[in-house]
Each structure stands twice: as C-alpha cells, then as structure tokens.
Amino acid sequence: MNKCLLGMMVLGFCVASSAQPLPPQQLYPWLETRQVLSPSGRIDLSKVMELTWRDSGGPEGKISVVDDGTGGKMLRWVVNIDHHSEGAYPVGWPSFEAYTSQDGSGMDFSGGTAISFKVRPVKDLGYNQMLRLILRGKEGSGMINKILPKLKPGEWQSVVVPYGRADWQKTVQRIHFYFDEIAYKDRDEVIFEIKDFELGKDVEELVPLAKGNAALSLWVGERADTSSEAVFVTEGTKTLPAIIHLENQLEQPLKADAELKFRFRNVFNGKDTFQSLKLGKDVKTGERYRGAYSLDVANLKGAYYHVLCDVIQDGKSVLGIYKGSDDLYVARPNESDTHQILSLRAGMAFWVKDLINGVFMHSTELTLPHTYDPFDATPEHYGQFLNKFAKLTGGVGEGYEAGMPGLAIAAEAYRKGGDLERQRYVESLLDSSTEAMLRMQYPSGGVVTHRNELADMGIGKGGRSDSGGYYNSDQMGEWMRGLNYAALYYRTDPTRKEWVKKINQACLNAGKYIVKHCVQDGVIRHLLINEYQDGSVKTRIYHQEGRQCDVYQPRVLAGLSYTAFTLMKCGEKVPEDWWPLFDNTVKWMAAKMKPNGWFDWQCEDKVEGGCHTFLGNIYAGEGLFGVFMANRDANRPEQAEEAKKASHKAYRYVTDDCYIRGNRYRYPLEFWVGPYVYWLFTEWESEIGIDSEFRDWLEVLDKKWSVERKWLDFKRHPKWNCGRANYNSMLTISILGYLGIKDMEEIGKPWRIGE
C-alpha cells in the first residue's frame, strides 16, 4: 500500500463545551449495553414449569422437564438437526411451546415489562447457537418475537427479554421457543436447558470501558458530533473541523504532548496520507475529554476517504482497537451532484464486504461506528468491529440479485466516464462478490441460499453457512441473474474472457439443475429441493402463510432467461431443451394473470404484508422480458412477441392497477424496489422503446430522490430516510443502479443492458 506523509503539523486545539447532543452509546461506541431486571418488584414465574410443554416444529426436537440438580426443575430440549426432513421453508423451524391455560384465558404478565430466565447451550458446536422466544397474547391480541443474545456453551446465562407494556400482556396465552434450522450444521445435536423464569421491570445498563484501556471516537465536518450524516468538502478546501471524545482508563495519564495521528485512506485506491497534532491537554485516569481540532485537507484529491485517529504516547499506540473512525467525501471541481452521490454510495459499499472472505453481508448499520478501524482484518479485532456494525454477516441469493446489477451498472458508469480508478475499484467489489457467489455452488449445480463464512469462523452474526443438499429454485434464479450482470459487464473486456466463461458455466450448470428438477408439466416452477446422499431428489411446491404461492416463480424464470440472453451475448450456446420450457412457461404465466395483469392473485394483498401484489408482477415482468430478449436474439420473433406482450401486461399492472390493503401502489422510493424498477424500465426503453407509464415512473422516481428530497436519503441524513435507506446491505447497494444510469444519461452515454 502506497503511503505519503501529509505533514506533522500542530494546527492548534480548543476545548468545546461539554454538551452531549447524542446518546453516550453513540459518542462512546465502545460502551456495551445489557438488559437486566430491576432488583425490586420481581415476580416469580416458576409455575410455568408446571405447564404442559410439547414439541411443535417437526420430528427433530424432544422437549422434557427434568431435575436441574439443585432441587428445582428445568426444560431440556434436544434437537437432532436434519436438513432433509419435511421441514418448513427454508429447511425447518424446530420449536417447543406451552399454552398457559386450558380455557384460553392466558397468564397475566402485566406486572412486569420483561421476562427473564437462565439458559445454556449444553454442547459446544464450534459456532453460535441461536434461539428465539415468542410470547403471544390471547387470540392474536399481540406478541413479541425476539432473538436471544449470543450464548456461551456450557454456561448458565441470565437472559432478559423486554416486552414493554400493552393490554395483551394481561392474557399471555403461548410461550414458544424456536430456531431456524438453517443456522445449524446438518446432523449436529443441539441441546438447550432453561430454568428460573421471572417477570420484572427491565432496565438498560451501560458496561463501562475496562480498566487498562483508552478509547477514542472521531467526528469530522461541520456537523461535528451531532449526527453521522455524510460529510462533503470540495477539493482544495483548506481545513476540516474534527471532534474527538477520549476516555482514559489506563493506569497512567495521557499527556498534553501526546500525538494525535490521523490517517486519511482513499478507499478507491488504498493510498494513505498522515497528519499529526498534539492532544493539547492532560487527560487523567478515569477522565473523559471532548476536544475540537482543525485538520489540514488542502492536499486531499477528490475521493471517498476513511479517517482514523490514534493516540501515540512514548512512541506507541495507547488505544489498541479503540481508535477513532469517520468518513468524508472530497468532491472534484465541477463534479456533478449525481456523480458525487454515486461515488459516496460506491465508497460506502466497501463496508458491506467481509474483508476476510469477500462475502457481501446481508445487513449492516448505515454508518460506521465512530470507533474501531474497519480495515483491520485481524479476526479478533474484526469480530469486535462487526459486533458494533454488522447485523447479518452472511451473503444471501436475494441480496446478490440486487447488489450485483448495482455494482455492474456503477462500474459501467465509471467506464463510460473515463474514470479508470473508480472503475477498477468497483470492479474489485464486483469480483469479490462474484468469487463469494461461486463458492455457493455445489458440484451437482445446486446453489445454497446463504453463505456466512464469518459465522463459520465464530465472529459473524446470523446463521452459519448452508450445507449442500437443500436448494431453493427461487434463490438459485436470483443468484444466476446477479451473476449475469457481471458477465454482461465484462464480456467486452478481452482480458476477462476466461472469467466470463467461468461465470457463464456456473450459471449454465445451475440452469441445467433447475431444468432437471424444477419443471412440472413443462413449466418452470418455484420448488424446494432436497438432495439426498444416495443421489435421490425430492421436491415440493412453495407455500407461504398457508397458501400455495407463485410470487417467486418468475425469479426462477428470470435466472434461466437472463442466462440464455447472456450466453448468446457472449457467443455461447443455449441448451435446446430450454426453448420449449420458455414457450410453455410464457403461456402458463399469461394464462394465469387476471385481466388486469395480476399474477400472484392467490396470495391476495395479505401474504407478507400484501407486498406480493407488486413483487409478483415486477418479478413476472422481469422473467418474461428476459425470455423476450433471449427469443429475439435467437431469431424466434413470434415467441419473442408473445413474451413481450406478457411482460408488458405484468409491468402495467404494477404501474396502473396495483393495490395493497386498499391503497394504490405508486413510485417506490425504497432502496431496493425503487432502483430495481428503475433499471428494469430502463431496459425496456433501451430494448423496445418508450412506454408512457414506465417513462412516468422513471421521471417521478428521479425527481423525488434528486430534486424534491435533495439527495438527503442518500446522504445519511438523520431525518430523511426513505424505505431501507437507514441501513447498508448488498440489497441496498442496488441503489447504485439508479445512480449509474442517471450518471450515464447526464454525460450523454446512456446505459443499455449487454451493450
């Protein structure tokens, strides 16, 4: 990594007021919080041990009430993990439960605001053992569904699960423990023991910084320590305000002449510049200090930067892992607003990448914590950073299908704009994601839904990686279509021919697997697949909330149709047996639609909150549009026309006549469906021509994001967060698709898929 020294300059300091506009947990990110029961007002709940406990989630689990060895009783739940049994989606949900009364009147929990109990996982399986609790009121009057904190094998731990105050807590009818079987390794034996139930008032405690440590948080820009909104300055700006919050729990004081060492890392090219100031004030043991400084940024070139702050005393760092952290964007002269926002969000995409394995995480916080070095990939240190920043560290097919087009379109925008450095940077993200995705495929061609290598290492969040043998044709189709965009982007690069062939072969193998196992009556279907060790395969049709559901069937079709389109664009052949399947599936989908185009009507506007009305049709339009492009390029004009008409009908239901719970569905601003619709309708225009309704949606979405809302949703503004704009993830990296398309339009080089 190239490094240059910006200077060892003391620019002065001042002590600002002691006001703390943000909560302590944000100003001091090293502070841990924990829920405990107040010592007063506790209510013994040992009577729940006398209830009738039963297994409720399949044959894998066995619940029993046994002696705890101290004269009391405890619940003992033994689960033999089996990924190939007839469990619910995606693999199974082992559970046990008790009803609190025979007459349905329930049990009164209103005397507290939380339930507490002791729990221990008996066996050390080498990975985090997840467990969840549901409390449900009488006749569906209310409920909570909470995941328990991380549990240590072999140790009794007191767990507090808050439920607040509401009328339903007077008649709690059901106590239900469960977990997602996909979070466990096939054939493992899982044992949980639970005892000592209590009710009480929950209070939150802050866990102080341990003795022997010092910690610092960093805040740059004019917004100081009032928020984590994105900071923008223009290239050539001379100074940048900075605030630090420093806590000293070392045995010795920190001296006024200690060095504050700032590292500015250009995220796009990895180059570092350094700057040093004096701390300027003695900070005694046990003290906290808030200081204001001015940083020289006159020589920073336009880019997205991460800023790290360390404290050096007697020639060495005193902060350990607790170094200060913040970010900023330096805009080039005359850089358009669109290009600035594209580059900010492209830079922020870096934090979604697992730095050890290259997996793109399914969900993280929107902003970095203002402490910890996010570039430190030492497993122990990285795990502590992830504990503050990450929500779910695994990569999931449905995230990749969104983020991969976003990355590919952003890379194309930089390529067309002649910005080689940022093009290569985004390509590095695209490559890392592609490599992680390829590791999800098994030799049979099947692709697992979820890979969480950080959890496999013991430092991630969420379930560990799926094992082979269980597949979901919907998730496989999403995985394929994400990779298609990478192959289409690289296909014109002569240095990437072998890479493109590898991607296309993986998608072809997955497509052949789907064709072999997920076709019913000549139609491509959404099926769940169990592949057994003897080579036999069993499938079942997808159901959700008790209904046979077709919302995700078009995603399977899109995986195959976009793969066919991509193969032909790359000069490769499409298997001949795919064409009649496309023809049959187009006819089946067209016949299934209501006269207004509604596709997944059997779910009404009820399943999954009603979102199947628009999702089913957006997916249908996409899958059918892929068939249109494939048929067109294969010189099958009649079949292409049939697919185009069905695709248009599906899309126009979304724009013209889609309702959820009686409300018209219009102009989705949220950071997944919004950009997804934006590139799909742009594809339609570039391949077929202008449709007035699609053009209206494109113009309104763009106007609302960039003009009416002034880009604030994209800038991490604390009060301007449209749907999904309050966190970062592979799913929301899809917003790069909209930004890249807009950027290319502004420079007069519009995007076209497969160009």
Side-chain angles (χ1 to χ4, degrees), residues 705-721:
W705 277 323
S706 65
V707 179
E708 294 179 7
R709 301 171 72 86
K710 302 177 182 180
W711 294 115
L712 292 175
D713 302 293
F714 297 76
K715 295 180 177 181
R716 310 190 314 232
H717 192 283
K719 295 182 180 179
W720 286 81
N721 283 311

Side-chain angles (χ1 to χ4, degrees), residues 359-551:
V359 171
F360 273 69
M361 293 182 274
H362 195 55
S363 180
T364 72
E365 298 292 345
L366 178 64
T367 61
L368 294 169
H370 289 264
T371 304
Y372 306 99
D373 182 357
F375 286 97
D376 186 349
T378 308
E380 180 182 358
H381 297 173
Y382 195 48
Q384 291 176 301
F385 162 72
L386 292 171
N387 185 51
K388 290 293 184 179
F389 179 62
K391 296 180 179 181
L392 294 171
T393 56
V396 182
E398 67 185 28
Y400 286 122
E401 64 83 19
M404 289 289 282
L407 291 171
I409 294 170
E412 183 67 15
Y414 290 130
R415 181 161 64 182
K416 286 188 172 182
D419 194 335
L420 182 61
E421 180 175 279
R422 297 184 191 189
Q423 175 191 336
R424 295 293 184 238
Y425 160 74
V426 177
E427 286 178 354
S428 72
L429 302 183
L430 194 62
D431 289 346
S432 180
S433 180
T434 300
E435 290 166 357
M437 292 174 72
L438 293 176
R439 294 199 299 273
M440 298 170 75
Q441 188 170 44
Y442 278 71
S444 65
V447 179
V448 295
T449 296
H450 170 257
R451 190 168 181 87
N452 193 347
E453 293 168 358
L454 287 169
D456 297 341
M457 295 172 60
I459 62 173
K461 289 185 177 180
R464 55 180 287 131
S465 297
D466 297 355
S467 56
Y470 176 83
Y471 309 114
N472 180 334
S473 64
D474 150 48
Q475 294 284 333
M476 288 181 63
E478 297 183 15
W479 177 90
M480 293 164 68
R481 195 184 53 72
L483 288 172
N484 295 152
Y485 279 82
L488 289 168
Y489 169 75
Y490 282 126
R491 76 179 188 87
T492 58
D493 185 343
T495 68
R496 293 297 195 110
K497 287 185 177 179
E498 293 305 313
W499 186 230
V500 171
K501 285 183 178 179
K502 184 175 183 179
I503 296 170
N504 284 342
Q505 188 61 54
C507 292
L508 182 60
N509 291 344
K512 289 180 177 179
Y513 189 88
I514 289 172
V515 168
K516 184 177 181 180
H517 298 298
C518 299
V519 173
Q520 292 182 341
D521 299 323
V523 174
I524 299 162
R525 298 304 301 269
H526 177 198
L527 302 180
L528 308 180
I529 310 158
N530 278 328
E531 183 182 287
Y532 297 93
Q533 294 180 354
D534 63 3
S536 61
V537 171
K538 183 182 290 188
T539 63
R540 61 187 186 278
I541 198 76
Y542 178 67
H543 286 73
Q544 189 167 346
E545 297 181 26
R547 302 177 188 231
Q548 192 270 304
C549 174
D550 289 319
V551 66

Side-chain angles (χ1 to χ4, degrees), residues 47 191 238:
K47 59 184 177 181
I191 304 175
K238 293 183 179 181

Side-chain angles (χ1 to χ4, degrees), residues 13 67 100 475 643:
F13 78 96
D67 292 334
T100 59
Q475 294 284 333

